[in-house]
Amino acid sequence: GSELVVVEPEAEVVREVFSGYLRLRSLKELGMFLGAVGRRSRRGKRLSKQTLAWILRNETYVGRIVYGSVRARGRHRAIVDRRTFARVARLLAANDKRRSLGV
């Protein structure tokens, strides 16, 4: 099979999304911040809350391959460390729970 290759300028944006979410603690705030500093998708569009949530939940960035219910260690280099990924996952879950409670 073919191996995933890290494209460093895109990897830097992904790392910025993770660190920004931990700092701002809000997808909306993160989207506004990234828009203000000129970060865009590959197609030149603003990064939506849905896109940011997808990035933050994407295990590919932590070096895993996911296919259906199967999760395996990939042969590609992780661009986000496991600790950061886990911290983001906990914050996303806490924010989802607060939102569902109307807080």
Side-chain angles (χ1 to χ4, degrees), residues 2-48:
S2 60
E3 228 174 289
L4 296 175
V5 177
V6 174
V7 177
E8 197 50 47
E10 293 178 12
E12 193 53 46
V13 174
V14 169
R15 286 189 284 266
E16 191 174 0
V17 168
F18 276 83
S19 65
Y21 185 65
L22 289 174
R23 188 176 68 252
L24 299 169
R25 309 180 69 79
S26 159
L27 290 172
K28 181 179 178 182
E29 295 288 325
L30 178 58
M32 291 179 1
F33 168 76
L34 293 170
V37 298
R39 294 292 190 218
R40 298 279 188 262
S41 72
R42 284 186 195 154
R43 294 190 176 125
K45 298 187 182 211
R46 288 183 85 110
L47 296 164
S48 69

Side-chain angles (χ1 to χ4, degrees), residues 26 44 69 79:
S26 159
S69 62
I79 60 175

